[in-house]
Amino acid sequence: MIIAAVLWALVAALASGTRRRTDQSILYAAVMIAVSLTLNVDAVYRATDSLLTGHNYADLLANLLLLIGVYFLSRAILRASSRSRARSTEKPFLIGAIVSSCLTITAFQFVDAPWSSDSFMRDFGDQPAACAYSLIQFTYLGIVVAVTGSICLQFAGRMSTAARRSGFYIVGAGCCAAVLNVFSIVGMDLTHLFGPPHLLALFSSAYDVLNVASLVLLCIGLSLPPILGWANDRLERRRLQLILPDLNRIWDKVSAQRLELGRDSLSHTQGARRPDVDVAVHRTLVEIRDALLLEASAKDKLTDADLAILLGAETPTGARNTTE
């Protein structure tokens, strides 16, 4: 339940940054994985499976959503890290997702599961068909996550901002934990068939730790850029609100009269929205620069502090943080 809640929190964080992203793959992935993990909550699983005739189709649905969600997740991460790597892996990963989904559905049909179970592999994992059902999907997931994690760590240092660099390193660590988690799942699948029982307990304990670790790391890494981006936007808005009165004062210095550019409509109040502040600051800067070009001597009216304000106004907060 807690893990599902964390995933939905990630969805909310990613949804807040949709306007800044041209590729929404990461949001699609987060939604599908969040739904998949929500279906693993016992009460939700039982309710959903009863709607799907009560033959464990909810388990199949959850696993297919996880498989497809990881495909979209890897695509988004690879596109953000390296366009060339993304192009070279997108088709194989897509084909793998389609083939794995078809094989998973086929294997599921051969599992003898006469009752609805919220512990599907625990109850039916001793059947070869159930073992194949799990191994097919997690073999694909392990390969995709391993490739994605290695590329993510390789290109993390090249990211443009500290937030993106940190996010990629954390995502890479999450991918490493996810690969280890896949090994624990494969170990449990094989132990269900071949034993011995003490190994099943060992792999199960590893799974409990690695599953939480991988999901938490991935959620933190993926949510870090949009959350810090939102915080940066708030700081930038506040900075523009504070700097606009100084720009108006500088404009009064360099121009004897207002240019007919709708200056009165640009007056700023503390509650102005971010787009209004952006427009006001931009147009005021343009007017000041035009005035300085038209009357070169106007620059003599400006102090060093005024010039510093102009330079600061032309440098967004995000650009100043790029090298931090």
Side-chain angles (χ1 to χ4, degrees), residues 24-67:
Q24 302 302 329
S25 296
I26 189 67
L27 181 58
Y28 304 151
V31 170
M32 283 186 279
I33 296 173
V35 173
S36 174
L37 294 181
T38 301
L39 286 172
N40 286 330
V41 178
D42 291 349
V44 176
Y45 179 88
R46 288 191 291 268
T48 304
D49 200 50
S50 65
L51 295 175
L52 299 175
T53 72
H55 289 84
N56 294 294
Y57 285 109
D59 188 81
L60 176 63
L61 175 62
N63 286 319
L64 291 177
L65 285 172
L66 178 62
L67 192 149

Side-chain angles (χ1 to χ4, degrees), residues 278-295:
D278 281 346
V279 171
V281 169
H282 174 71
R283 292 185 64 180
T284 304
L285 283 171
V286 170
E287 291 176 20
I288 291 172
R289 291 302 182 190
D290 287 345
L292 292 175
L293 287 174
L294 291 173
E295 187 181 350

Side-chain angles (χ1 to χ4, degrees), residues 125-126 186-201 203:
D126 57 349
V186 170
M188 286 191 293
D189 291 339
L190 295 177
T191 306
H192 273 300
L193 278 181
F194 306 110
H198 70 274
L199 284 181
L200 181 60
F203 285 125

Side-chain angles (χ1 to χ4, degrees), residues 289-307:
R289 291 302 182 190
D290 287 345
L292 292 175
L293 287 174
L294 291 173
E295 187 181 350
S297 61
K299 189 174 183 180
D300 296 335
K301 303 176 183 179
L302 301 182
T303 65
D304 290 341
D306 292 335
L307 294 174

Side-chain angles (χ1 to χ4, degrees), residues 39-295:
L39 286 172
N40 286 330
V41 178
D42 291 349
V44 176
Y45 179 88
R46 288 191 291 268
T48 304
D49 200 50
S50 65
L51 295 175
L52 299 175
T53 72
H55 289 84
N56 294 294
Y57 285 109
D59 188 81
L60 176 63
L61 175 62
N63 286 319
L64 291 177
L65 285 172
L66 178 62
L67 192 149
I68 298 170
V70 168
Y71 161 73
F72 278 107
L73 176 64
S74 68
R75 185 175 77 169
I77 294 173
L78 292 175
R79 284 180 176 179
S81 59
S82 171
R83 286 284 177 177
S84 61
R85 298 295 180 91
R87 285 192 295 268
S88 65
T89 58
E90 184 165 353
K91 188 173 181 179
F93 282 2
L94 176 59
I95 294 173
I98 295 172
V99 172
S100 298
S101 297
C102 292
L103 291 175
T104 296
I105 294 171
T106 302
F108 179 82
Q109 304 305 316
F110 290 95
V111 179
D112 182 16
W115 70 87
S116 179
S117 171
D118 49 28
S119 300
F120 186 83
M121 289 303 295
R122 186 180 303 166
D123 291 335
F124 310 117
D126 57 349
Q127 301 177 39
C131 182
Y133 166 71
S134 179
L135 287 177
I136 290 167
Q137 53 190 289
F138 282 103
T139 297
Y140 170 79
L141 295 177
I143 293 171
V144 170
V145 170
V147 173
T148 302
S150 64
I151 294 176
C152 188
L153 291 173
Q154 180 182 351
F155 286 90
R158 306 182 189 182
M159 294 297 105
S160 59
T161 66
R164 289 175 64 84
R165 287 192 294 273
S166 300
F168 267 71
Y169 279 124
I170 296 172
V171 168
C175 288
C176 293
V179 171
L180 294 175
N181 190 39
V182 167
F183 281 119
S184 70
I185 293 171
V186 170
M188 286 191 293
D189 291 339
L190 295 177
T191 306
H192 273 300
L193 278 181
F194 306 110
H198 70 274
L199 284 181
L200 181 60
L202 177 63
F203 285 125
S204 179
S205 298
Y207 168 81
D208 291 339
V209 175
L210 293 169
N211 188 52
V212 173
S214 59
L215 290 172
V216 169
L217 287 171
L218 287 172
C219 286
I220 293 174
L222 294 172
S223 63
L224 196 60
I227 289 175
L228 292 183
W230 174 84
N232 187 73
D233 285 347
R234 298 285 294 181
L235 290 173
E236 179 70 359
R237 176 184 175 183
R238 179 61 178 165
R239 187 182 74 90
L240 294 178
Q241 288 173 335
L242 293 174
I243 208 172
L244 187 55
D246 288 328
L247 293 179
N248 287 330
R249 177 180 54 77
I250 293 172
W251 163 252
D252 291 335
K253 278 188 176 183
V254 300
S255 179
Q257 61 181 4
R258 302 277 183 177
L259 297 179
E260 294 181 3
L261 294 175
R263 291 284 299 140
D264 291 340
S265 66
L266 295 179
S267 59
H268 173 59
T269 60
Q270 188 67 20
R273 294 174 299 169
R274 169 69 188 274
D276 298 331
V277 177
D278 281 346
V279 171
V281 169
H282 174 71
R283 292 185 64 180
T284 304
L285 283 171
V286 170
E287 291 176 20
I288 291 172
R289 291 302 182 190
D290 287 345
L292 292 175
L293 287 174
L294 291 173
E295 187 181 350

